Amino acid sequence: MKKIDKKNSLSIIIIVLIVGFLVYGIKMSSKSSLKKEIPTIYVPGTSGTVGSLDGYFEIAKIKQEDILKINIDEKNNVTELQKVKLKPSDIKNIVIAFSDAGEDIDSMVRQSSYLQSAFEYLENKYNISNVNFIGHSNGTVALTSYFTQVKPVKYFNINKIVAIAAPYNNISYANADDTKESDYLKAWKKNTNGIPRNVQLYNIYGNVNGENNDTIVTLATIKESEQLYPRNNIHYKEFKGNKSEAGHVELLFNKKVVKYAESLVRE
């Protein structure tokens, strides 16, 4: 009887171990699926086109055939200038550019409408509604305008915003007076209800030769984001160097900046 009991006990232990490993495997598989990479939308700054970020993508080792590129014209028409041969669920990189990519407040308001059209298009055609966002300069300004100046697309969710050299107040460093508020900052502050309370904002900024600016955008201007986005959700990352390393445009093609930005949206 004792031998039988020992055999039974051993069998039970083996069965328990097998079941345990199976349950663990299912849980790990479930966690892995939950962490599935979501698409990232990229928007260039003033006068940017769908090709403006190609140097960035080359550094990030993102193949052109894996990038959906769309343009929105002045009448809110959406055109795919570069299509992808991917299933909608496999599209992870999307560039959005505007035919009207000016930098004044009127352009910002129009661009908020263009983004609205682009998001609706992605949702309707590709079932894409949960994304991260990387904007250079006024690319993030356009998104902020979208949150505050138009009615955000109801089910379109932006988790993280990676803002590279984003001027939330004055655009030009040469003419900036950081003690004053620009017209569009004043307009945004009147309606911050559209800004998601759970969005994480990562401000990447350049510090050229210790001057606290990237030759165009100042750190003080970037910190105006604290008047708009939830302060507890705002993060800062400084990149120091000369103009070729930390300049306003040069930041976009700095290998360290690209690596950092991509690590935020791919984690």
Side-chain angles (χ1 to χ4, degrees), residues 35 43 73 126 130 176 189 202 224:
K35 290 183 178 179
V43 178
D73 67 19
Y126 293 104
N130 187 37
K189 286 173 62 179
Y202 297 86
E224 294 292 358

Side-chain angles (χ1 to χ4, degrees), residues 59-76:
I59 295 169
K61 297 182 179 179
I62 297 173
K63 297 178 181 178
Q64 285 292 320
E65 57 263 34
D66 293 334
I67 307 170
L68 173 64
K69 296 182 178 182
I70 65 177
N71 184 77
I72 298 87
D73 67 19
E74 293 89 340
K75 294 183 179 180
N76 277 309

Side-chain angles (χ1 to χ4, degrees), residues 36 76 88 94-95 123 134:
K36 187 177 179 182
N76 277 309
I94 305 158
V95 174
E123 189 174 49
I134 294 180

